[in-house]
Every structure is written in C-alpha cells, then in structure tokens.
Amino acid sequence: MRNYVVCHYAKCYGPPVNYTTHIERKTADGTVRIPYNIKRSDLTRHNREFITEARKTGRTAAIEKRLMAVKYQTDKDGNEYERKIRKDQVCCIEIRLSASPEAMAEIIAQGRLMDWCRESVKWAQREHGKENIVSAVLHMDEETPHLHVSLVPVVQGESKKQATTKKRAAKDKEKAESDGTEPPKKKRRYKKKADASTLRLCADDIMTQSGLKRYQTEYAAAMEQFGLRRGEENSPARHKDLAEYYKEHCEEMHARLDEVLSELAKVERLMEDKDTEILHRDDIIRRKEDEISQRDSELEKKDREIARQQRTLDELRPRIEKERSKFDTLFTANEYLEGVEHSADRLLASYDSREKEVLRIEREALERINQASISFLAKKDVERLAKENAGLKLLVSGKDSEIQKERNETEKERKAREKAEADKKQLEKTVSGVHSALERRHPEETRLLRELVTIGVSDPKCQDYILNGGSVTYEPYPWKDPSNGKRIPEEYCQEVIIKKEGNGNDSFISMCGMRIADFFKQIWAKVTEALGLKKKQEEEQRKQQKPETPRRGMKM
C-alpha cells in the first residue's frame, strides 16, 4: 500500500472570491453552490472550516484582513505609510494537504481524521506563521478527503532584489575606490525601501524549489504518526502530457465501450430470448383466457340449466305433494288388501277343511251304499251335505273371484306405488344433487336463495332480479318470521323493500335496509312494547274502575 503524503502548493491569481466559491461551496451572497463534478454531494454537509476567524467572517474577508496589515504599516519613526498591492500580485497560495486514497480510507476507519486535520493545520501554521494561515477547509464530498489551506504570502525583511542591489552597489564602490574613480550614482527612487521589520507580500520567496522540497519532507515527518511517508525524491515519474493523457483515456474509454457493447449485445440477445418467452407466455395466457371464457360460457349454460331445474323443481313440488298423498292412500289401501287377503286365506283354509270332511263323508256314504246298508236318514244327510257342499263351493268360487279381482287391483296399486316411490327417490336424489352442486359452485347465491326462500320469496324471476342487484317493493303483508314460524300481526304490516346488500361473503338479503333477523327483531320489539303499553293501560283502567272499599267504621 502506498501511504504517501500529498502536499501541493499553487498560486491563486485574481480576486480571492473566485477560489472561495469552490472551497466554501457557496457564492459571495451566501447561496449554496455545489460544483457539477462533485460526486458525493450528500457529504457536503460534513465539510468543515478549522480557522475560527474564517469560520466567523468567511475566507475572503480573512484574506483581505491579512492584506490590510501589509498595506497599512508604521515605520521606525512611528509614521504611518501605505504600501501598494498590484492588481496582478499573488495574494494567496493554496496548499492542498492529503494522502493516498487507501491511506485516507484507513485513517477514517481508525477514527483519526480530525486528529490528522488538526496536525496538518498546526504544521502549516508552524511553517508559514499562524497569522498567515487564514483558512483551512476539509472537503469530504470528493473522492479523497483533503484540506484546502489558504496561505497569504506575507514575508518580513528586504526583498531579494533589494539585497542584490545593495551587494552590487558595494562591489561598484570597492571597484571605484581601487580604480581611483567615483562610484556610479544611484537612480533616484521615490519608493520607500523595506527594512528588516517591513511586511511585504511575496509568493516567490515562499515557493522556491528548495523550499517546496523542504515542505514535502517536513510535512511527511509530521505525518509519520499516521503511518504516512514522503514520496520518492527525484523520482523519474512525470505528469503526462495532456494530449497523451486524453489519448490513453480515449483508448481506455474505447476498450470500455467495446466491453459495454458486448454486454449490450448479450443483453439484447437476452431481451430477444425474453421477448420470445413473453410471446410464448402471451400465447399460453391467451389460450388460458379462451379456456376461461369457454368455461364461463359453460358455467353460464349450467347456471341457466340450474335455474331451469330449480323452476322444474318448484313446478314438481305440488306433484310431489300430490303423489305423496296418493302414496299415503295406496299405503292405506294396501293395508286393507292385506287384511282382506288374510281373511281370504282363513276362508280358504276353512273351505279346504270342509272339503276334506265332505270327501271323507262321501267315501263313507259310498261304502255304505255299496254295502247296501245305508238308511233313509243317511241318504238325507248325504243330500244335505251335498247341498251344503254345493253352496260352499259356490260361495268359495264367488269369494275367489272377488279376491282375485282385489289382488289384481292391489298389484296395480302396488306397482303404481313402487313407481311413485322410485320417481320420488329419483326426484329427491336429483334435487339433492342440484342443491349440492349449487352449494359447491355458487355458495353465496345458494345462501342468498335460502334467505329469500325462508321469507317466502319463491318466484324465480323475482329471485334473479334481487340477486342481480335490483330491489323489490312489497305492499304491507303479514310476513312469516323464519326463526319462530310466527306471522307479523296485520296492524304492524308495512311496505317492505327487499334487496341484496354487500359483496362476496359479506353479502346478505335486507328487508328495509336491515338483515332479516334484525327486521323481525325490530317488529317483535314494537309488538312487545305495544303489548306492555296496552297491559299497563288496562291495569290503570282497572284501577280507575275498581270501587273504593269503605273504611272501617264508615257508614254506607
């Protein structure tokens, strides 16, 4: 890591305010002005001035104050005089103190940035005089933190030119004395000469080649405590020519541009792939939308079919009730026929026993006739028994035809009953299937339909109109409360508006803007209140009509 110090001296030409705008980041009227090339303008608020006078009055005022000390002076005799400062004279030297970017980053990481700034300002004040260092500003909003130290180049004593003139005059005098001639006369000057105590403004006396080298060495020695060192002295490294720098910069930019173009080509290929993928997904989405629309149409058809089946179910309900009553009648007739069949079975059993008895008697009679021992009475018994047998046969044959007829009718009724039961079971199965399908596919509509049915709104057209967002107004009618099965008294009947409120799972059927339960609760509250009031009035009336009982001892 190259922990080199940076100590750069530069003359500032022109009015001091030109450089103050850049250093203080504001114009002469105090308006904030951040240069366009400042990359970290969010850190400008961390810039700091370390000289108290410049912090109070500003850099320009501090420079002008120091220049006034040069412009107005007092000689040895106590007389005040004014020294002229030329317009093109260098009034300020800008010292930029910093270090390598890596070294400054390490100093900041160690939390020693303020210590570095204070030590740098102290070194500049020791080297050039505390009164000559009028401003020291830390810049944190550029790539590498650095200090801008403003030095007013005030020196004391004679100038180099004046000392040279004196030496030349002394040599001329010595030569004239050795030659025996008169020394040359001095040119008359009206400018007051500087002596050892005179303050004068001279940047050249500060920015000498030996002096600049010494500043580098001494500043590096002062910064050793921060791990910094001096750059290589007499290094062959030189600043590049501007054209060469821009040439290398252009080549670097061209190489970077080629990389960017290659990356851009990759991005374009990627974009093309993404476009094809997006088109493919659009096709899939379009197909899905077609399928969804087709399913929606199928659902609409099924909804219409469900509505038709609901209407058919409403139409079949009276028939179901009729068939149910007929089934009850057939069940009663079946019980009656079973009793008749039981009686017929008992009669047939009696007939079989009598027939067996007659056959036995006939066999006995034939045996007696064959034996020629039958008597007259026996013949009469035989004739009687034959008549009874013939009558019994006639009775049994008549009963048998009636029983057969009743059996045929019972079989027809039984078949009709079985068919009615099968139709009823099939119808109930269909209705339950329709209800389950409705609840599964349209739970909200099914719930709302149930609410409508509970209050007696069974007309399909009216139901569809309400579910589609319409409102239906009913004349005063004694509505039936679904919770207890009671009807509203006629004197509390009112005009009712029924419509659908809310959306989704929060939807409900409202009566006069209230839920069904709240509507009936309000009605019953009115009824209860009226009954209580009526009861109270009757009690008061009874109290008023009750005769007063005579007091004890009072004559009537």
Side-chain angles (χ1 to χ4, degrees):
M1 183 181 294
R2 296 182 177 180
N3 295 339
Y4 293 144
V5 295
V6 174
C7 182
H8 181 72
Y9 283 68
K11 296 178 181 179
C12 298
Y13 297 93
V17 71
N18 294 341
Y19 295 92
T20 302
T21 302
H22 169 76
I23 292 173
E24 293 185 346
R25 302 286 194 256
K26 59 184 178 181
T27 58
D29 58 355
T31 306
V32 177
R33 182 181 178 277
I34 300 175
Y36 69 92
N37 59 344
I38 298 301
K39 298 181 180 179
R40 299 297 304 275
S41 59
D42 55 324
L43 298 177
T44 302
R45 63 181 184 276
H46 296 294
N47 292 356
R48 183 175 176 183
E49 171 67 66
F50 286 88
I51 305 301
T52 306
E53 185 69 24
R55 193 183 307 127
K56 292 178 181 179
T57 63
R59 176 180 177 274
T60 303
I63 292 173
E64 290 176 351
K65 182 179 179 181
R66 183 57 180 159
L67 291 176
M68 290 300 103
V70 176
K71 191 172 183 180
Y72 300 101
Q73 298 186 46
T74 305
D75 59 8
K76 295 178 181 180
D77 300 330
N79 299 321
E80 294 183 357
Y81 67 94
E82 181 180 351
R83 289 182 65 85
K84 185 177 180 180
I85 299 176
R86 300 191 311 275
K87 293 182 179 180
D88 60 343
Q89 195 163 358
V90 177
C91 297
C92 182
I93 296 174
E94 199 64 37
I95 309 172
R96 193 178 69 176
L97 302 177
S98 183
S100 304
E102 300 86 356
M104 293 304 298
E106 185 177 355
I107 290 172
I108 293 172
Q110 293 174 358
R112 304 180 65 190
L113 180 63
M114 293 296 107
D115 296 337
W116 173 82
C117 293
R118 294 188 187 97
E119 292 297 326
S120 298
V121 173
K122 287 180 182 179
W123 172 84
Q125 291 175 345
R126 287 195 307 269
E127 188 66 36
H128 301 289
K130 186 175 182 179
E131 63 280 0
N132 292 337
I133 303 299
V134 296
S135 173
V137 179
L138 171 65
H139 279 180
M140 293 293 293
D141 52 0
E142 298 185 39
E143 291 185 0
T144 305
H146 56 275
L147 273 170
H148 283 280
V149 179
S150 299
L151 166 64
V152 178
V154 177
V155 295
Q156 193 172 8
E158 297 177 347
S159 64
K160 293 179 180 180
K161 185 176 181 182
Q162 187 176 354
T164 304
T165 304
K166 284 184 177 180
K167 290 180 181 179
R168 187 179 297 119
K171 288 181 180 180
D172 292 342
K173 186 177 180 181
E174 290 179 359
K175 186 177 180 182
E177 288 178 356
S178 62
D179 295 340
T181 59
E182 294 183 359
K185 295 183 179 180
K186 298 179 181 178
K187 293 182 180 179
R188 188 174 183 179
R189 296 177 181 269
Y190 297 95
K191 183 178 178 181
K192 184 176 179 60
K193 300 295 182 180
D195 54 14
S197 62
T198 303
L199 298 178
R200 56 190 181 83
L201 196 65
C202 184
D204 292 336
D205 289 357
I206 294 175
M207 295 187 66
T208 61
Q209 186 175 4
S210 60
L212 293 175
K213 286 184 179 181
R214 183 173 58 82
Y215 301 152
Q216 293 281 343
T217 305
E218 292 180 358
Y219 179 64
M223 294 295 109
E224 283 182 357
Q225 56 180 322
F226 299 99
L228 303 177
R229 58 194 178 92
R230 191 189 190 285
E232 296 180 6
E233 193 172 358
N234 299 322
S235 173
R238 292 290 183 270
H239 287 287
K240 294 180 181 178
D241 185 51
L242 190 62
E244 184 182 357
Y245 169 75
Y246 279 117
K247 180 181 178 182
E248 292 180 359
H249 183 67
C250 289
E251 291 176 356
E252 183 180 353
M253 293 301 293
H254 281 302
R256 193 174 298 175
L257 181 61
D258 293 336
E259 293 178 0
V260 170
L261 290 174
S262 62
E263 291 293 332
L264 184 60
K266 291 180 182 178
V267 171
E268 288 179 351
R269 288 195 296 271
L270 184 60
M271 290 293 292
E272 291 176 358
D273 296 339
K274 291 293 182 182
D275 289 338
T276 54
E277 185 178 354
I278 290 169
L279 292 174
H280 179 64
R281 290 185 177 179
D282 288 340
D283 294 337
I284 295 173
I285 292 170
R286 198 175 295 109
R287 287 198 297 271
K288 292 291 183 182
E289 288 177 350
D290 296 338
E291 292 178 1
I292 290 170
S293 61
Q294 186 176 359
R295 289 182 181 178
D296 290 339
S297 61
E298 291 177 358
L299 285 174
E300 290 178 358
K301 291 180 181 178
K302 289 182 180 179
D303 290 340
R304 289 195 293 272
E305 181 65 22
I306 289 168
R308 186 185 64 78
Q309 290 182 1
Q310 183 68 27
R311 291 193 294 271
T312 305
L313 180 62
D314 294 336
E315 293 173 358
L316 288 176
R317 276 179 182 168
R319 291 177 60 187
I320 292 170
E321 296 295 333
K322 187 176 180 181
E323 292 295 334
R324 183 176 292 171
S325 61
K326 188 185 290 185
F327 171 74
D328 295 338
T329 305
L330 290 175
F331 184 74
T332 307
N334 188 22
E335 289 181 349
Y336 171 74
L337 288 176
E338 287 179 355
V340 172
E341 286 180 357
H342 186 62
S343 300
D345 291 337
R346 284 186 296 172
L347 186 60
L348 287 173
S350 176
Y351 170 74
D352 292 337
S353 61
R354 291 290 297 275
E355 190 174 5
K356 289 179 182 179
E357 184 67 23
V358 169
L359 289 175
R360 185 180 63 76
I361 293 172
E362 283 182 354
R363 283 196 301 271
E364 291 179 355
L366 287 175
E367 286 178 358
R368 289 178 182 178
I369 291 171
N370 291 333
Q371 292 175 2
S373 61
I374 187 171
S375 61
F376 181 72
L377 294 174
K379 287 182 180 180
K380 285 188 177 182
D381 291 334
V382 170
E383 290 176 0
R384 182 175 58 79
L385 288 172
K387 287 181 181 179
E388 290 179 0
N389 190 14
L392 188 60
K393 284 183 178 180
L394 183 61
L395 179 63
V396 169
S397 63
K399 289 288 184 182
D400 192 12
S401 61
E402 290 179 2
I403 289 169
Q404 188 64 31
K405 185 177 180 181
E406 289 179 356
R407 279 182 177 177
N408 293 335
E409 291 178 357
T410 304
E411 186 68 22
K412 289 181 181 179
E413 291 177 354
R414 185 178 63 79
K415 289 181 179 179
R417 185 178 72 247
E418 290 178 355
K419 184 177 180 183
E421 289 178 353
D423 292 342
K424 180 183 175 183
K425 289 181 180 179
Q426 183 64 30
L427 189 59
E428 289 177 351
K429 186 177 180 181
T430 303
V431 171
S432 65
V434 170
H435 277 296
S436 62
L438 279 171
E439 290 179 357
R440 186 176 64 255
R441 292 178 176 271
H442 306 282
E444 297 174 5
E445 294 185 1
T446 306
R447 177 172 55 79
L448 297 175
L449 281 171
R450 284 180 179 173
E451 292 183 9
L452 289 172
V453 171
T454 56
I455 59 176
V457 180
S458 57
D459 186 9
K461 293 182 179 179
C462 188
Q463 290 175 353
D464 293 341
Y465 183 70
I466 292 172
L467 292 179
N468 289 330
S471 61
V472 179
T473 305
Y474 287 89
E475 295 180 353
Y477 172 76
W479 295 91
K480 187 176 181 181
D481 190 349
S483 61
N484 52 21
K486 295 181 181 180
R487 290 195 177 275
I488 299 173
E490 292 185 357
E491 58 268 19
Y492 294 96
C493 293
Q494 61 180 1
E495 187 179 81
V496 176
I497 299 173
I498 298 177
K499 62 179 182 178
K500 175 187 171 184
E501 299 280 354
N503 293 315
N505 295 328
D506 299 331
S507 59
F508 62 92
I509 300 298
S510 67
M511 298 179 73
C512 294
M514 296 179 286
R515 293 182 181 268
I516 296 173
D518 297 338
F519 174 77
F520 284 104
K521 190 182 294 183
Q522 183 184 15
I523 296 295
W524 293 126
K526 291 181 180 178
V527 173
T528 305
E529 184 180 0
L531 289 175
L533 184 61
K534 184 177 181 182
K535 187 175 180 181
K536 187 175 180 181
Q537 290 176 356
E538 289 177 355
E539 288 179 357
E540 291 178 355
Q541 190 174 3
R542 280 199 303 271
K543 287 180 181 179
Q544 292 175 1
Q545 293 178 358
K546 186 177 180 180
E548 295 182 357
T549 57
R551 297 178 182 176
R552 184 176 295 178
M554 185 180 292
K555 293 181 180 181
M556 297 297 293

